[in-house]
Amino acid sequence: MKTSIGYTKEQMAQHVADELQEDWVVNVGIGLPLTILPYVPVDKDIIFHSENGIIGMGPELADPAQGDNDLLSAGKRPVSLIPGASFVNHADSFVVVRGGRLDATILGAYQVAENGDLANWKLPGKRLGSMGGAMDIAVGAKRVLIMMTHVTSDGRPKIVKTLSYPATARNCVTKIFTDRAIISVTQRGLVLERLAPGSSVEDVQAMTEPALIISEKLKSS
Amino acid sequence: MKTSIGYTKEQMAQHVADELQEDWVVNVGIGLPLTILPYVPVDKDIIFHSENGIIGMGPELADPAQGDNDLLSAGKRPVSLIPGASFVNHADSFVVVRGGRLDATILGAYQVAENGDLANWKLPGKRLGSMGGAMDIAVGAKRVLIMMTHVTSDGRPKIVKTLSYPATARNCVTKIFTDRAIISVTQRGLVLERLAPGSSVEDVQAMTEPALIISEKLKSS
Amino acid sequence: MKNKRVANPAEAVSGVFDGATVLIGGFGLGGLPEALLDALCDRKVRGLTIVNNNSGHGETGIGRLIGEGCVAKVICSFPTSKAAYVFKEWFEAGKIEVEVVPQGTLAERIRCGGAGLGGFLTRTGLGTEIAENKKVVAVNGREYLLEQPLRGDFALVEADLVDPRGNLTYRMAARNFNPVMATAADQVLVQANREVGLGDIDPAVVITPGLFVDRYCIVDSVAKTPARAG
Amino acid sequence: MKNKRVANPAEAVSGVFDGATVLIGGFGLGGLPEALLDALCDRKVRGLTIVNNNSGHGETGIGRLIGEGCVAKVICSFPTSKAAYVFKEWFEAGKIEVEVVPQGTLAERIRCGGAGLGGFLTRTGLGTEIAENKKVVAVNGREYLLEQPLRGDFALVEADLVDPRGNLTYRMAARNFNPVMATAADQVLVQANREVGLGDIDPAVVITPGLFVDRYCIVDSVAKTPARAG
């Protein structure tokens, strides 16, 4: 397996950012998902939701020292507001989440199963894990977009037939963005939509446990 | 039964008003209960709660024509606000109610049973009744004070062994204020606390279905 | 940014279809979106299930909606007020159904619908006819009624201020059911007293975030007729 | 009018007893009532169950409370942040318990406790280890987890403005869990940035009505240290 080929982090971020549509309400998970923010054009009006009750969260501050503890993202970093932002309490923030008002969320993952099951909060065998808002968000968002490396650091598939990691939520994932491919989760199964440069269908299938359906519109780029 | 003896409406209102303590949060039902308001001294700071989300409701306007539809009591009459009032939405208004934040409510009644069951929303055999907020308030308030005539217009007891009218809530009534007596609902049974002028224990017992326990501190006045 | 502003109440309610469930804000006349209700009457929709605390006041608003034959069912907590004589007439003629729900349970069922929850447990209504045909669940030795969420295809809301994102504030006790209903419908249609610019509402003062709002029109209702008893 | 103002954080928390359940507002450092937490540490209470989204940040606030041995159990959604190293040490030493709750369920359980409800049904956590030992209830053919209310003996709240009735506003996202927790405890103890006169807060702008508040002290936290990562 060649690790030098595939999408760069920047390309992955760009793909996810391109997926987001004008006027969507979007929750972005901490970690890798946060890297998409610079790739969302400023004139594309997207309402970012933060679990702690910010609706219309703007970019992180360039200088965190100028930050204010009363205006932090879910990742506890100082952020700004867009014009027309608002604050709600934590219970109401999850009214937005579970009530179906999130058009999309972007989350990281340890594993995604063929049926859309997601594992992203706890390592197997560990006594402790932190789901934060991920379980609610995975259940509530209209589209759950996953951003992760295609395989683990020791080369094992993260897209699996059945989760071996503790589940975050069942049947929730819409689309998976990795460094090697973009894959949709459908009723028919996993559909390979796009291949990273230098990847073949065979390469990607080899690093993916379930059988992939090849999209008729498969892009390689 | 002599109907000329007993408490006047004004005296009943005064008794109930005297029951309310400084700093209590109180919900006053529509109808007879509303008559107590003029008997609450203006310097006794009581927070009146209205189901439609007013906390700190002030007196009704003397001239309803000066009223504003956006500031109505639960009885749909124009009211004022006390300094330091606030508005909440309807769901949050009932967080106050069911959450145990009402120190007292004053409600009218068709019947009260020996065990504190209350009937005040629907006549027997009728297809329709309106409970409004009464079921929630009867369940949620710390003290449910009932204000009613002691007997029906045709002379039958309204304080009964078992409700024959549709129930509003079970085991909820704290104290009953009638034109003939003041009666507490206790674990031991109904305790006669006070007799109206011209009433004897025997008179009141005769117009009350369950056996009354006579308070050691029984007042006659 | 999506343009949520429409020209008038007629355009705001133009998508309401026959048989829809419509949540209607307001408590009596306070916060009642009367202009939207009038526009709905004008559309001559049929078979609506409407949700409001009351069942109409005189021949305006919900009274008019019922009187013109638009409503199949009313879900409310107080159907029997004197002012609801239009409802009463239709009910007694067997031409309209009613579901009577305790007021706190009504508000909470709507919140529950908006919050994407499957139900809640309450002691309100236990041991009364409200409990008929409902599941009783015991938790830690105490019994509760299981109440189910209530959502609308549409919510009609009266707000005070609105900005271009649809952020809303409410005027005094006109708030009541409005913000709760605004979370619990597929399409949230607003009549607001006044429009302000983007950023003109302090983010801490917004009651309904714009993401809940689909369409709004401006109808200044502040200069209302004085309250009538009822 | 009851005087709810006390001289300082020490007096505000003077009633907190060993073994109490304490709801603590805040999300990370935003809206965290640090002065009240410090006063609690100074009282050397023991055996607390604390409820907060996180399990502490460094050796201040909740980290200090844990480090000084005041806490028997933490209920939170995010115990494993890097900054929660004090908790981690105590947990690994077997000296503290933890209950991990999904964040939305945590907020809703507290609201449910405040609202006097017996529980609610949610799909969050279905099919995960969070569902272990919980009742699954089917409504209209869909399954939900039954989650139970969560209340505190005390709630520690950080507010922005307070008036003599205890009416509260919150500063930006410092709101978070604070107003929800303020509904769900037997005693609600507040540190506010600033006190204003009776009537100085517009009734439409109050977030927590004063009837929920038992004691408040003034601690200006606006000039906070800048946010730290973690």
Side-chain angles (χ1 to χ4, degrees):
Chain A
M1 208 178 305
K2 300 167 223 164
T3 52
S4 60
I5 59 169
Y7 295 126
T8 61
K9 282 188 178 179
E10 292 71 21
Q11 288 170 315
M12 284 174 70
Q14 184 70 60
H15 290 151
V16 176
D18 289 350
E19 191 79 9
L20 306 181
Q21 303 298 310
E22 176 102 10
D23 297 320
W24 276 12
V25 181
V26 177
N27 181 292
V28 179
I30 58 179
L32 194 57
L34 274 179
T35 63
I36 73 152
L37 292 179
Y39 297 90
V40 178
V42 282
D43 60 342
K44 194 189 215 175
D45 195 64
I46 288 175
I47 315 291
F48 288 104
H49 165 269
S50 181
E51 289 92 308
N52 50 326
I54 310 175
I55 294 168
M57 183 171 62
E60 278 188 14
L61 299 193
D63 176 9
Q66 299 301 310
D68 186 314
N69 282 334
D70 293 340
L71 192 55
L72 303 178
S73 67
K76 320 284 161 57
R77 280 142 69 137
V79 292
S80 56
L81 295 175
I82 63 169
S86 58
F87 298 109
V88 294
N89 72 42
H90 234 93
D92 287 345
S93 175
F94 282 87
V95 166
V96 171
V97 169
R98 284 183 319 255
R101 301 287 177 170
L102 292 181
D103 294 290
T105 185
I106 302 127
L107 298 172
Y110 296 139
Q111 289 186 329
V112 177
E114 191 168 12
N115 66 349
D117 287 358
L118 169 65
N120 77 350
W121 75 283
K122 194 180 191 180
L123 296 169
K126 287 275 185 186
R127 285 174 64 206
L128 265 194
S130 291
M131 78 288 283
M135 286 192 179
D136 308 275
I137 293 169
V139 163
K142 290 184 195 162
R143 298 169 188 85
V144 176
L145 311 178
I146 299 297
M147 223 178 145
M148 65 177 189
T149 57
H150 206 96
V151 296
T152 63
S153 54
D154 53 353
R156 283 175 300 141
K158 294 172 73 170
I159 304 173
V160 295
K161 289 187 178 166
T162 307
L163 297 183
S164 60
Y165 280 51
T168 301
R170 302 289 174 181
N171 303 295
C172 64
V173 174
T174 311
K175 216 165 186 176
I176 310 164
F177 295 79
T178 79
D179 52 332
R180 304 301 293 266
I182 299 175
I183 294 172
S184 290
V185 182
T186 75
Q187 295 287 357
R188 296 182 300 136
L190 299 177
V191 177
L192 180 63
E193 305 280 3
R194 189 162 176 167
L195 278 172
S199 287
S200 68
V201 169
E202 292 69 29
D203 288 343
V204 169
Q205 180 64 76
M207 55 182 76
T208 306
E209 229 182 64
L212 295 170
I213 300 164
I214 314 306
S215 168
E216 289 176 8
K217 300 177 201 155
L218 179 70
K219 280 194 212 170
S220 288
S221 63
Chain B
M1 208 179 307
K2 299 167 226 165
T3 53
S4 59
I5 59 169
Y7 296 126
T8 62
K9 282 188 177 179
E10 292 70 22
Q11 287 170 316
M12 284 175 68
Q14 184 69 59
H15 290 152
V16 176
D18 289 348
E19 190 80 9
L20 306 182
Q21 302 298 309
E22 176 101 12
D23 297 322
W24 276 11
V25 180
V26 177
N27 182 291
V28 179
I30 58 179
L32 194 55
L34 274 179
T35 63
I36 74 151
L37 293 179
Y39 297 89
V40 179
V42 283
D43 60 342
K44 192 188 214 177
D45 195 65
I46 288 176
I47 314 291
F48 288 104
H49 165 270
S50 182
E51 291 92 306
N52 49 326
I54 309 175
I55 293 169
M57 183 170 63
E60 279 189 14
L61 299 192
D63 177 8
Q66 298 301 309
D68 186 316
N69 282 333
D70 292 341
L71 191 56
L72 302 180
S73 67
K76 319 285 162 54
R77 281 144 67 139
V79 292
S80 56
L81 295 176
I82 64 169
S86 58
F87 298 110
V88 295
N89 71 42
H90 233 93
D92 287 345
S93 175
F94 282 87
V95 167
V96 172
V97 170
R98 284 184 319 255
R101 300 288 178 170
L102 292 181
D103 294 290
T105 185
I106 302 126
L107 298 173
Y110 296 139
Q111 287 186 330
V112 176
E114 191 167 11
N115 66 349
D117 287 359
L118 169 66
N120 77 350
W121 76 283
K122 195 180 189 179
L123 296 169
K126 287 274 184 186
R127 286 173 65 206
L128 265 192
S130 292
M131 78 288 283
M135 285 192 180
D136 309 275
I137 292 169
V139 162
K142 289 184 196 163
R143 298 170 189 85
V144 176
L145 311 179
I146 298 298
M147 225 179 143
M148 65 178 188
T149 55
H150 206 98
V151 295
T152 63
S153 54
D154 53 353
R156 281 174 302 140
K158 294 171 75 170
I159 303 173
V160 294
K161 289 186 178 165
T162 307
L163 298 182
S164 60
Y165 281 50
T168 301
R170 301 290 175 181
N171 303 296
C172 64
V173 174
T174 311
K175 216 164 187 177
I176 309 164
F177 296 80
T178 78
D179 53 332
R180 303 302 292 266
I182 299 176
I183 295 172
S184 289
V185 182
T186 74
Q187 295 286 357
R188 297 183 299 136
L190 299 178
V191 177
L192 180 63
E193 305 279 4
R194 189 162 176 166
L195 278 172
S199 287
S200 68
V201 170
E202 293 69 29
D203 288 343
V204 170
Q205 180 63 75
M207 55 181 76
T208 307
E209 227 182 66
L212 295 171
I213 299 165
I214 314 305
S215 169
E216 291 175 9
K217 301 178 201 151
L218 179 69
K219 280 194 212 170
S220 286
S221 62
Chain C
M1 199 190 310
K2 184 161 36 178
N3 179 25
K4 299 180 177 181
R5 175 155 180 178
V6 295
N8 50 46
E11 196 179 337
V13 303
S14 62
V16 179
F17 46 82
D18 289 356
T21 295
V22 184
L23 312 180
I24 302 169
F27 182 86
L29 297 175
L32 188 76
E34 289 198 68
L36 297 180
L37 289 170
D38 282 336
L40 208 50
C41 287
D42 294 343
R43 286 201 65 225
K44 302 189 189 308
V45 287
R46 289 290 175 266
L48 299 180
T49 292
I50 62 170
V51 182
N52 181 267
N53 188 65
N54 300 87
S55 63
H57 187 108
E59 287 154 50
T60 64
I62 291 172
R64 185 180 161 207
L65 204 64
I66 294 171
E68 296 193 6
C70 305
V71 181
K73 181 175 176 182
V74 176
I75 301 177
C76 69
S77 87
F78 212 97
T80 60
S81 69
K82 264 189 202 160
Y85 55 83
V86 178
F87 164 79
K88 192 181 173 200
E89 184 189 315
W90 282 66
F91 179 74
E92 288 178 351
K95 296 192 291 185
I96 197 167
E97 277 184 90
V98 67
E99 178 182 346
V100 183
V101 180
Q103 197 173 132
T105 295
L106 183 63
E108 191 66 18
R109 285 181 60 193
I110 299 165
R111 180 187 179 275
C112 187
L117 298 170
F120 61 92
L121 303 181
T122 181
R123 293 184 61 78
T124 301
L126 263 189
T128 78
E129 66 181 59
I130 292 302
E132 286 167 19
N133 306 315
K134 284 182 189 151
K135 199 183 290 196
V136 175
V137 178
V139 178
N140 299 327
R142 279 197 105 183
E143 293 196 326
Y144 298 91
L145 277 191
L146 173 59
E147 290 281 0
Q148 293 188 26
L150 181 56
R151 285 184 60 90
D153 298 302
F154 301 90
L156 308 187
V157 164
E158 191 203 71
D160 188 23
L161 304 183
V162 62
D163 76 11
R165 287 199 188 282
N167 289 310
L168 306 179
T169 66
Y170 299 90
R171 192 164 165 270
M172 302 191 288
R175 187 181 302 190
N176 58 65
F177 282 93
N178 281 299
V180 189
M181 290 178 169
T183 67
D186 293 348
Q187 286 275 317
V188 175
L189 315 176
V190 176
Q191 70 170 73
N193 292 323
R194 198 151 62 85
E195 186 176 26
V196 297
L198 193 63
D200 286 354
I201 308 178
D202 176 351
V205 165
V206 170
I207 299 297
T208 294
L211 63 83
F212 289 107
V213 172
D214 294 285
R215 296 183 185 186
Y216 67 85
C217 60
I218 306 303
V219 179
D220 191 347
S221 305
V222 175
K224 279 182 181 172
T225 52
R228 283 157 276 176
Chain D
M1 200 189 312
K2 184 160 37 177
N3 178 26
K4 299 180 177 183
R5 175 155 180 178
V6 295
N8 50 44
E11 195 179 337
V13 302
S14 63
V16 179
F17 47 81
D18 288 357
T21 295
V22 184
L23 311 180
I24 302 169
F27 183 85
L29 296 175
L32 188 76
E34 289 198 69
L36 297 180
L37 290 171
D38 281 336
L40 208 51
C41 286
D42 294 343
R43 287 200 65 225
K44 303 190 189 308
V45 287
R46 289 290 175 267
L48 299 180
T49 292
I50 62 170
V51 182
N52 180 267
N53 188 66
N54 299 87
S55 62
H57 186 107
E59 287 154 50
T60 64
I62 291 171
R64 186 182 160 207
L65 203 64
I66 294 172
E68 297 192 5
C70 306
V71 181
K73 181 174 177 183
V74 177
I75 301 177
C76 69
S77 88
F78 212 97
T80 61
S81 68
K82 264 188 202 159
Y85 54 83
V86 177
F87 165 79
K88 193 182 173 198
E89 186 188 314
W90 281 66
F91 180 73
E92 288 179 352
K95 296 192 289 185
I96 197 167
E97 277 184 87
V98 67
E99 178 182 346
V100 184
V101 180
Q103 196 173 132
T105 295
L106 182 63
E108 191 67 18
R109 284 181 61 194
I110 299 165
R111 181 187 179 277
C112 187
L117 299 170
F120 61 93
L121 302 180
T122 180
R123 293 184 62 78
T124 300
L126 263 189
T128 78
E129 64 180 61
I130 292 302
E132 286 168 19
N133 305 318
K134 283 181 190 151
K135 200 182 289 196
V136 174
V137 178
V139 179
N140 299 328
R142 278 196 105 184
E143 292 195 328
Y144 298 90
L145 277 191
L146 173 59
E147 290 280 1
Q148 293 188 26
L150 181 55
R151 285 184 61 90
D153 297 301
F154 300 91
L156 308 186
V157 163
E158 191 203 71
D160 189 21
L161 304 183
V162 63
D163 76 10
R165 286 199 189 283
N167 289 309
L168 306 179
T169 67
Y170 300 91
R171 193 164 165 272
M172 300 191 289
R175 187 180 303 192
N176 58 65
F177 281 94
N178 281 300
V180 189
M181 290 178 168
T183 66
D186 293 348
Q187 285 275 316
V188 175
L189 315 175
V190 176
Q191 70 170 75
N193 292 322
R194 197 151 62 84
E195 185 176 27
V196 297
L198 192 63
D200 286 354
I201 309 179
D202 175 352
V205 165
V206 170
I207 300 297
T208 295
L211 63 84
F212 289 107
V213 172
D214 294 286
R215 296 182 184 187
Y216 67 86
C217 60
I218 306 304
V219 179
D220 191 346
S221 305
V222 175
K224 279 183 180 172
T225 51
R228 285 157 276 180

